[in-house]
Amino acid sequence: MEEELVKEYMKEGVVSAEKKTTIKEVAKIMTDKNVGSVIVVDENGKPIGIATERDVVRSIGKGKSLDELIENAMTSSLITVREDAPITGALSLMRSYNIRHLPVVDQNGTLKGIISIRDIAKALDNMFEQ
């Protein structure tokens, strides 16, 4: 059975925002793109965190201004997977950290896409069919 790679199943065009984007702008991006989270990147396009709907609500609840930067409201413990990693490696990361989405990076750490548990299920399905 041949191992499938993350890059074969990831979705490209992941929704991201620079760390200097305001909380208000991130909320608008989420609304416009109809997503519940945005990957936060530094000025070089390297993922440094994730901003979820929960992060936005929590920051407002703590009295933060909507004009505050998203880097002060994001979750910075970001788990990523390399695009050349095997699908089973991505699955074990998801299971270890109890998460359903993993940002995908290249060997330089630049954001390339995102892979979901649904994408992994599809890959495993294909592996077992072979």
Side-chain angles (χ1 to χ4, degrees):
M1 183 162 66
E2 195 176 324
E3 180 75 83
E4 302 279 1
L5 298 181
V6 166
K7 66 181 167 195
E8 296 164 10
Y9 290 89
M10 71 180 194
K11 301 231 181 345
E12 292 176 7
V14 56
V15 181
S16 65
E18 276 217 357
K19 65 182 182 175
K20 300 295 182 196
T21 308
T22 64
I23 294 171
K24 183 179 186 177
E25 288 172 301
V26 167
K28 183 171 175 10
I29 291 168
M30 286 182 189
T31 303
D32 293 347
K33 303 275 190 194
N34 195 27
V35 293
S37 65
V38 170
I39 302 298
V40 181
V41 296
D42 67 14
E43 45 286 326
N44 301 315
K46 303 237 187 318
I48 56 167
I50 185 168
T52 63
E53 291 169 332
R54 178 182 269 167
D55 292 325
V56 171
V57 169
R58 211 176 260 144
S59 64
I60 294 167
K62 288 180 178 170
K64 282 192 176 145
S65 161
L66 289 178
D67 296 321
E68 186 134 352
L69 301 181
I70 197 61
E71 69 180 329
N72 300 322
M74 69 182 187
T75 300
S76 53
S77 54
L78 188 68
I79 314 300
T80 60
V81 66
R82 290 248 317 242
E83 62 184 346
D84 55 2
I87 282 292
T88 51
L91 178 60
S92 75
L93 278 173
M94 287 182 178
R95 289 181 65 190
S96 300
Y97 293 98
N98 194 24
I99 51 180
R100 296 190 312 260
H101 293 85
L102 274 175
V104 181
V105 295
D106 63 15
Q107 61 274 13
N108 301 318
T110 305
L111 186 63
K112 288 296 182 186
I114 195 156
I115 192 160
S116 70
I117 194 74
R118 197 176 282 140
D119 300 326
I120 289 177
K122 199 180 297 171
L124 293 174
D125 204 34
N126 289 349
M127 284 166 61
F128 286 119
E129 277 177 13
Q130 288 171 6

